[in-house]
Amino acid sequence: MATLVAPDHADPIADAEALKKAVEGWGTNEKAIIGIIGHRNAAQRKQIKEAYHQLFNEDLVHRFEKELSGDFERAVYRWMLDPLDRDAVLANVAIKKGDYRVIVELSCIPSSEELLALRRAYQARYKHSLEEDVASHTTGDIRKLLVLLVSAYRYETDATDSRLVETEADILRKAIKDKAYNNDEIIRILGTRSKAQLVATFYRYRDAHGAPITKSLSVDHDNEFVSLLQTAIRCIKSPKKYLERVVRDAIHKSGSDEDAVTRVIVTRAERDLEEIKEIYYKRNSVALDVAVAKETSGHYKSFLLTLLGKGDL
């Protein structure tokens, strides 16, 4: 369930005019900006951008980039992008930074159709394919894994093959036991099987071998390739729990990882952030909005709390 609080109907012309007033003059009215865009869904934000351009012959997102700064500006920029365009930007930034965990997230959490739409959005924005960029920035086993994941089109079904589940759980166990993490069979299984089939295989692995597959891999979690395998498995098996983990690690990290916090809140506020908040509370005995309020400040804090469905704390 979403945390975004948005009206059923909004007036994009009135919103555009109010935003123009907020960015004009000597000082930017960040509170007014948050009060509008922090309570508009993707379709409503798109209408605001179109109305703003028609009224003032100016790109609203570019104006925000000029008027805002720091973590607040980055969060607003990503929020104002169309969701698919935003994912394309996240992918491009992650490729350039070498943050391949984000590439795995964007590949393994969405449905097959959503991933295909992301690849099209990436191609439209950057004039070359996501697969090409991933391949040109990676090497060896990491390249082999990531290119397969970003180009995957998994069969969407709840049906599973019990014989295949047993066979492939054993294949995974043998490869992990032998520390043959780059075994082609591991990459093939993770990159081609349906999510339902993989989840059944992961549970079979746990039941047959006495430990979750991610725990078996944690022996060598400092190995970047192994860490990416773990990320892929977590994203496929339980994406909401995985995203809660991303936020938790980002908040508890020394100095906080604002980019990761922003990514999860901005991308999930219109989807399932309420469930992620519930998981966070069960895991940490602290509400996510309270944790975010403690680790952030200023307009950035106010904006994130608005997207979390809360007022300023």
Side-chain angles (χ1 to χ4, degrees), residues 37-140:
I37 68 170
H39 294 287
R40 299 293 184 270
N41 61 35
Q44 291 166 341
R45 297 194 303 276
K46 184 176 181 179
Q47 291 176 335
I48 293 171
K49 288 186 291 184
E50 292 170 350
Y52 190 93
H53 189 271
Q54 291 173 358
L55 288 169
F56 308 112
N57 195 31
E58 180 181 34
D59 186 289
L60 178 58
V61 176
H62 289 167
R63 184 60 185 263
F64 282 158
E65 287 183 280
K66 293 178 183 178
E67 299 293 334
L68 310 177
S69 62
D71 293 321
F72 178 48
E73 182 274 322
R74 283 187 287 274
V76 168
Y77 174 78
R78 292 177 179 180
W79 179 246
M80 291 302 294
L81 291 172
D82 291 340
L84 285 173
D85 207 26
R86 175 174 62 221
D87 285 348
V89 169
L90 289 172
N92 186 258
V93 170
I95 290 169
K96 291 177 178 177
K97 290 172 59 179
D99 190 355
Y100 302 132
R101 178 185 67 172
V102 176
I103 302 301
V104 175
E105 286 179 23
L106 293 169
S107 303
C108 295
I109 291 178
S111 68
S112 296
E113 285 296 325
E114 288 169 339
L115 178 55
L116 179 60
L118 164 58
R119 296 207 301 268
R120 288 172 175 158
Y122 193 97
Q123 177 90 33
R125 187 177 184 91
Y126 297 107
K127 310 309 177 189
H128 33 89
S129 74
L130 177 57
E131 298 94 315
E132 286 178 295
D133 277 1
V134 168
S136 66
H137 285 78
T138 55
T139 59

Side-chain angles (χ1 to χ4, degrees), residues 240-260:
K240 296 184 187 74
K241 286 184 178 179
Y242 169 76
L243 291 169
E244 181 278 329
R245 184 190 186 103
V246 170
V247 174
R248 174 170 24 105
D249 289 348
I251 289 173
H252 293 168
K253 183 178 179 180
S254 177
S256 299
D257 182 354
E258 283 81 6
D259 196 57

Side-chain angles (χ1 to χ4, degrees), residues 16-53:
E17 290 173 340
L19 289 170
K20 181 66 171 177
K21 183 178 179 181
V23 297
E24 279 189 325
W26 290 103
T28 302
N29 188 341
E30 289 89 349
K31 186 175 181 180
I33 293 172
I34 294 169
I36 297 170
I37 68 170
H39 294 287
R40 299 293 184 270
N41 61 35
Q44 291 166 341
R45 297 194 303 276
K46 184 176 181 179
Q47 291 176 335
I48 293 171
K49 288 186 291 184
E50 292 170 350
Y52 190 93
H53 189 271

